[in-house]
Amino acid sequence: MPRAGLTPERLVAAAADLADEVGVEGVTLSALARRFGVKDASLYTHVRGLRDLRIRMALLAGGEMIDRIAEAVEGRAPGRDTLAAFAAAYRAYALEHPGRYAATQLRIDPELVTDSPAMRRTADVTYGMLRAYGLEEPDLTDAVRLLRSTFHGYCALESTGAFGAPRAVQVSWDRAIDALHVLLRNWPSEKRTPDDRPRPIR
């Protein structure tokens, strides 16, 4: 690949492709330099180092992922329909692009998150979906963490073939979405006492 065409955008896109092939930990400046047929030092004109490269890759992947999710939920009825579409798009991206998806789990400085259009859009789409259930802060943050933990954990286990029971993985996924929908509709009050009883499921 000709050196003259080297840009930060091309480097980051190539790094994301490499991550899908060998895993995010396999993305190094040396491996990327070999892919472009240049010396490692040439890359420092375009990125500050490996950490900078991986953060850029995380932001790229985050943007791709939320674009897919936003397209999936557009025009959907609030509630389970939107939740299921959101979850399906999340899962599809995670399984189709394992390296890119792993990059989205990297911790990013809060300032970069605030400055990133992709990260702001992710918050808008996710919180918008949850507000349709009538949730407000601090329950919104708790619900986001619950969904992220559930989706991430399921995808991580599925990607390694860890679900060994004969029941179809897709059926269990659909039931998990049903359960999340019921929980979100019946979100527990933050203030609880020892005398509280489980709320009825509607």
Side-chain angles (χ1 to χ4, degrees):
M1 197 172 292
R3 181 173 177 174
L6 213 55
T7 65
E9 292 74 23
R10 290 186 67 191
L11 281 177
V12 174
D17 289 341
L18 183 60
D20 281 340
E21 295 169 17
V22 303
V24 69
E25 294 301 323
V27 177
T28 64
L29 293 176
S30 294
L32 198 56
R34 287 194 298 272
R35 178 158 290 203
F36 279 92
V38 299
K39 295 185 181 299
D40 295 12
S42 301
L43 304 187
Y44 285 93
T45 303
H46 307 285
V47 294
R48 293 189 295 273
L50 182 58
R51 173 67 179 171
D52 180 43
L53 175 66
R54 288 181 174 173
I55 292 301
R56 289 172 184 249
M57 185 171 59
L59 294 174
L60 170 70
E64 292 175 345
M65 189 172 186
I66 194 55
D67 284 347
R68 180 177 292 198
I69 290 171
E71 182 178 359
V73 303
E74 185 176 4
R76 299 273 183 175
R80 192 197 182 284
D81 195 26
T82 295
L83 175 64
F86 185 108
Y90 183 109
R91 179 179 172 217
Y93 188 88
L95 297 179
E96 292 169 19
H97 299 288
R100 280 171 156 85
Y101 174 71
T104 67
Q105 304 305 308
L106 296 174
R107 181 165 179 78
I108 301 176
D109 293 338
E111 316 85 76
L112 294 178
V113 173
T114 302
D115 292 339
S116 168
M119 296 301 101
R120 290 197 299 272
R121 190 178 188 206
T122 298
D124 290 343
V125 172
T126 306
Y127 280 73
M129 174 184 69
L130 292 173
R131 285 193 179 95
Y133 283 97
L135 299 182
E136 298 294 341
E137 290 291 13
D139 293 328
L140 278 172
T141 295
D142 295 337
V144 168
R145 289 173 175 172
L146 172 65
L147 294 188
R148 183 181 179 189
S149 300
T150 303
F151 298 162
H152 176 68
Y154 201 98
C155 292
L157 291 168
E158 183 179 7
S159 67
T160 60
F163 294 131
R167 185 169 173 81
V169 173
Q170 181 62 47
V171 174
S172 296
W173 174 265
D174 291 339
R175 295 296 289 150
I177 301 307
D178 288 339
L180 287 172
H181 172 60
V182 171
L183 173 59
L184 291 170
R185 287 186 60 193
N186 297 273
W187 193 260
S189 171
E190 187 176 19
K191 295 181 179 179
R192 300 181 64 85
T193 71
D195 294 330
D196 282 349
R197 298 292 184 267
R199 298 174 65 183
I201 296 176
R202 296 186 293 276

